Amino acid sequence: MGIPTPTTKFVYSFGGGKADGNESMKNLLGGKGANLAEMAGHPNLLLPVPPGFTITTAVCTYYYDHGRTYPNELKTQVNQALEEVEQLVGKKFGDEKDPLLVSVRSGARRSMPGMMETVLNIGLTEKTIEGLIAQTNNPRFAYDAYRRLIMMYADVVMEKAGGIEPKNGKGIRKVLDEKLEHVKHQRGYSNDTELTVDELKKLVVDFKETIKTNLGQPFPEDPMEQLWGSVSAVFASWNGKRAFEYRRIEKIPDEWGTAVNVQAMVFGNMGDDSATGVAFTRNPGTGENQFYGEFLVNAQGEDVVAGIRTPAPVNEYSKNDQSRHLPSLEQLMPSLYQELDGYQKRLEGHYKDMQDIEFTIEKGKLYMLQCRVGKRNGVAAVRMAAEMFEEGLIDSDTALMRVAPTQLVELLLPMVDPKEELVHAPIAKGLPAGPGGAKGRVVFTSIDAVEWAAKGEKVILVREETSPEDVDGMHKSQAILTTKGGMTSHAALVARGWGKCCIVGCNEIHIADDHKSFRAKDGTVVHEGEWITLNGTKGLVYNGEMKLTSIDLNLNQSYSKLMELVNQTKTLHVRANADTPKDAKQAIAFGAEGIGLFRTEHMFYGEGSDDPLFRLRKMIVSKTEDERRHALDELYTFVKKDIKSTLEVMDGFPVTIRLLDPPLHEFVPHDKDKLQQLAKELGIRMSVLKRRVLELHENNPMLGHRGVRLGVSYPEITVTQVRAILSAAAELILDGKKPFPEIMIPVTCTVNELRHQKALVDKVYEGAKAHFGLDEIPFMYGTMIEIPRAALKANHMAEVAEFFSFGTNDLTQMSFGFSRDDIGGFLPIYLDQKLLHDDPFQTIDQEGVGELIRIGIDRGRSTRPELEVGICGEHGGDPESVKFCHRIGMNYVSCSPFRVPIARLAAAQAAIESKAKN
Ligand code: ADP
Ligand code: MG
Ligand code: MG
């Protein structure tokens, strides 16, 4: 008794110039529902949206929490909302004289293109169809709508949601589709639109019988049953296999749930004065500020996206090689085009971002069916952000937040080497749906793509068209090539979201029936497993494997503009891990402000390493200090030259040089020739040499005789390196340069190690100053913090160290006790079973390792407030980790040169985010 508790609002209406919800309610209404409400009800917009209502995501949560049932109030609320729609449209749902038809549309918080289900034309039955025919005088249209409903309903509601999908992949939709194709084939039609009323009628009868036989139950002839069946199917589709996989890739939480939108149908399939289309307020492939879109006359819903006919361009700008001959919407229906153009401008101005819109024209009247922030590739994202800022549409912070740091990778994407393109002729041309270049071996199924990729193969997925079932394989492929479909097809949409190289609508190739090869127009046959190369920027397909190169970022004006904003915003410095003058130059070109990790041992690996490596080996197998000194003296020249060349490139920037880090035995030769040469040089017998090598063996080298421990047991190793560093710097100073080396001691765990090494450094320093006649050779002395104990004792470490660089690779290894080199055996299982959310070697474990870092910084700065703190290692280029480093007050992050732009943008975003917090 008492005051009745207010019932929860589960249903939000929109239409008729008003709406219960708005754009800010995405969590409750899903993206689609919130935007429908905004378009219909916001005073700036008031667009012609067919009326409808949204059942909230809270109902989805309830549904899964309560054994797939609904809250009690839902039915009444739905009936009420449906009545409002009926009033606005002037038709009644289920009415046999003038039936209202509705669509049931899914809509999660974040768009998941094509992942979940939509059912159109709900409310059509044997009885109501007569009313629809009488009202429209268009039986062909009515039966076209009916056959679509039956097919969608059988597929989405009866089969998929019913959990009776056949394992062989040949579901009911495919069975029914084949029947349709069969009739078309028999009659020699190429388009659905050519089917006559009688043919459609027969198909409907056939469809229904097939459904009954194959699925064991009849297609429901009760409009209400259709409605609720569809609503449940949408909720069920949230946990469908495809949606589940997509969420895993896109990291969308499973708990979010979907909303369901029920909306009055409008018909793009009522004849030649009707149409349906998809458009973007700016070109999503390039970012250019041009209205861009495609449409189909006399078509419904997914027809454009499914690529069953070549879509026509909305305007001249949108024409491509496949659609050039087709009249544009602007030409065909000029005043409707003007109206649409007005709406798209209004939408972009209102949302202040590029919008992806769906529209339908029913008998000369335009309706808006959807808008959302449009997906775009990295190239387009950068251009849009920079241009919208320059147009004054958005401010600097917004522009910087618009680009995901990892999207910058796409600007560095490989391109097909232009020199090779001059001498190779493409075998086919399609539509350029995803820019960049890619090469790989051809596979024809998504399953193969996944399997081959797991074996380390680079593959390109070649298909007639893709469907949501293919996402996993698409993800694992280097690139995607489809023979059908337009610029708004599934493949194009998905590839665009991922920034993947993609060519669609390439009708110049034909895939063989056995799906083992394809034949290009010029007669070239490419078999499964053979290499092809794609230029996704131009839509060109090449036979064979071609060279890929990268482009010069700084020529991209939008990128330069964006990076200018980055530099004005970020406070965290970004350095690069680089060991050669070449890498150092690259790093500077990418905007690095120094080197955070220069590894002295790099000179013993790879090209040109023979000579220094030989001398290092001599040093390693030396027995006496004399022998070792002699070898080190020989080595000195190499080390100095090597360091000097990089210091010279980094003129004016700090360069953190880490003294020799790996365990010595890593450098010992194992082949007989090399050993013999070494023995000869040292003047010792092979047996003696072998014994010395054997003595170097360690059971656990990662925790063995390495890093500072080498410098402690063989001080001459430290002395030689420091002498090389300071001499290189001194020589550059005398040349008028401004070198700034930071000498970094690796793998320390106690301040005593630092003191021990510092005494050596001081001695060398005095000697160098005297030798070069300089009053000062500026440098810093510091350490890596990569052992947990060093982080805990950071207050002591900072008594000697002027800087810390957190070596998060080793720190992670030693904090978790996970061997970096052996995680393959168990980490995938940990991730799969969600014992760990991320690979801690890729993204800093903020809770555990992060706490050690925080402690290290706090304690270090308590001793030495001006302590310089940075991070080196893979994490320095991971956006989340960069943001973490900003928050805990580091001075810089250091990452590989190619990640520098990413880290810079992440640093700017971190600054914006902390500003917003305060
Ligand atoms: P998705 O989330 O896959 O984009 P939608 O719910 O947008 O699915 O619907 C699929 C297609 O059906 C779209 O092309 C949409 O425009 C069309 N559609 C949905 N509802 C209606 C409607 N009430 N009238 C006409 N077309 C509709
Ligand atoms: Mg859908
Ligand atoms: Mg849609």
Side-chain angles (χ1 to χ4, degrees), residues 850-898:
E851 181 157 4
L852 275 172
I853 297 175
R854 222 182 299 234
I855 290 171
I857 296 176
D858 289 351
R859 295 189 183 168
R861 288 206 176 130
S862 73
T863 304
R864 188 188 289 270
E866 73 284 7
L867 182 77
E868 182 192 77
V869 180
I871 177 185
C872 56
E874 284 314 300
H875 297 107
D878 167 63
E880 282 314 307
S881 308
V882 171
K883 291 182 178 180
F884 174 74
C885 293
H886 170 91
R887 288 198 297 273
I888 60 174
M890 284 198 188
N891 300 89
Y892 70 86
V893 296
S894 186
C895 56
S896 71
F898 278 92

Side-chain angles (χ1 to χ4, degrees), residues 90-107:
K91 299 171 196 263
K92 272 187 152 350
F93 188 66
D95 187 8
E96 291 175 19
K97 295 230 166 59
D98 189 7
L100 168 71
L101 304 188
V102 297
S103 64
V104 166
R105 319 173 62 185
S106 59

Side-chain angles (χ1 to χ4, degrees), residues 32 103 105 114 118 120 263-266 301-302 358 369-370:
K32 198 179 288 167
S103 64
R105 319 173 62 185
T118 289
L120 305 180
Q263 188 177 28
M265 282 301 301
V266 289
E302 313 262 58
E358 287 175 7
L369 285 171
Q370 190 173 338

